Amino acid sequence: MKTGTLKQMLLITDGCSNKGEDPVAMAALAQEHGITVNVIGVLENDSIDEKGSMEIEGIARAGGGISQIVYSENLSETVQMVTRKAMTQTLQGVVNRELRQILSKDASLEELPPEQRGEVMDVVDELGETAELQVAVLIDTSASMKFKLPTVKEALLDLSLSLNARTGNNQFSVYIFPGKRADADQLVDWTPKLDALTGVFPKLTAGGITPTGPAIREAIGMFKKKRSLRGLFAGDDDEQILDESM
């Protein structure tokens, strides 16, 4: 099985989008580009209503990812859990596609004999530790997130420590929405360490609307830009992507 790049978005928000493209449609577009979209809804005093919960679930479903609603004090462990669970889910999907090609169109991991299934899961676990991982973190900085941003910072630093223990390479980028002069601003360009947030997070101010769809669209563009630049310098535009061609 060829190794490649696991591409994920991690969207952290506390409510409904109210400007720009439909975020569910943008998540589906991300999935078409081999990017898994995971969503964490941050609660404070049960402040996410039914509409917000449905949007969170819809974005993750369309993006092939995982959604989780959590109280802010439990955010750190949730961010790590969702990211790792999404990696495993993506790899299992790749394995199932390969099994269907090898065995039959209806074959799946669950249908293998227990011993073979265990061997395949060992491979999945190994790939989860060794494959290159790219995570674009999208942070809702609308007015209602004002008192949650310090918790978000702590959660992302914990995520960095957790994932940097992997043997595979990690690359992170961070977006906030709304931006100062646009729907979304890139706060941190691709970097192997999320502790790059330390200097910029204290300068963040929360306020304004929630353009979730445009933020997802912006992040898709940066994944594509990163890939094209890598191809330019390597002389090869055919980078293997786990979601597309393993």
Side-chain angles (χ1 to χ4, degrees):
M1 183 178 293
K2 300 173 185 177
T3 57
T5 303
L6 283 165
K7 300 186 293 182
Q8 294 188 21
M9 287 188 200
L10 180 63
L11 172 63
I12 301 176
T13 183
D14 72 343
C16 302
S17 61
N18 53 19
K19 183 186 178 185
E21 299 96 331
D22 177 3
V24 174
M26 290 297 100
L29 180 62
Q31 177 70 349
E32 289 179 10
H33 286 281
I35 305 164
T36 301
V37 184
N38 306 299
V39 192
I40 297 177
V42 188
L43 276 176
E44 189 174 63
N45 300 320
D46 299 317
S47 59
I48 294 183
D49 60 18
E50 182 178 358
K51 182 180 178 183
S53 298
M54 289 178 63
E55 181 175 278
I56 287 167
E57 293 172 4
I59 292 171
R61 190 182 307 113
I66 296 166
S67 65
Q68 187 80 30
I69 294 177
V70 61
Y71 285 100
S72 56
E73 59 265 27
N74 299 321
L75 185 59
S76 288
E77 61 188 62
T78 303
V79 165
Q80 294 179 50
M81 179 274 291
V82 165
T83 303
R84 287 195 170 272
K85 187 175 179 181
M87 281 195 291
T88 301
Q89 179 174 287
T90 299
L91 290 167
Q92 287 178 346
V94 172
V95 168
N96 281 334
R97 287 199 294 273
E98 292 219 338
L99 286 174
R100 285 193 290 271
Q101 291 178 1
I102 296 169
L103 302 176
S104 74
K105 64 179 182 179
D106 297 322
S108 70
L109 180 60
E110 291 73 19
E111 295 169 358
L112 291 177
E115 183 176 346
Q116 287 183 313
R117 187 165 61 243
E119 292 175 357
V120 172
M121 285 308 300
D122 287 343
V123 174
V124 169
D125 290 341
E126 181 180 352
L127 285 174
E129 289 299 313
T130 60
E132 181 173 344
L133 174 66
Q134 295 174 0
V135 182
V137 183
L138 282 61
I139 304 170
D140 179 355
T141 55
S142 59
S144 57
M145 285 288 290
K146 180 177 182 179
F147 298 107
K148 301 168 188 172
L149 290 180
T151 307
V152 171
K153 174 188 174 183
E154 292 174 9
L156 294 182
L157 294 180
D158 285 349
L159 175 66
S160 178
L161 291 173
S162 170
L163 293 183
N164 280 322
R166 300 171 65 248
T167 56
N169 294 324
N170 303 305
Q171 289 287 324
F172 304 98
S173 62
V174 181
Y175 298 81
I176 57 171
F177 62 97
K180 288 186 177 180
R181 290 175 292 275
D183 289 328
D185 287 346
Q186 186 181 46
L187 199 65
V188 177
D189 202 351
W190 293 106
T191 175
K193 292 187 179 293
L194 265 177
D195 56 13
L197 288 172
T198 304
V200 292
F201 243 100
K203 303 174 185 177
L204 290 184
T205 56
I209 53 179
T210 313
T212 309
I216 295 173
R217 172 174 43 78
E218 182 72 18
I220 293 172
M222 291 307 297
F223 273 106
K224 293 170 65 178
K225 179 180 177 182
K226 179 176 176 60
R227 184 180 180 188
S228 63
L229 284 173
R230 175 176 297 177
L232 175 65
F233 287 113
D236 180 8
D237 286 324
D238 296 325
E239 178 190 0
Q240 286 288 344
I241 302 300
L242 285 168
D243 286 313
E244 296 176 352
S245 55
M246 277 184 58

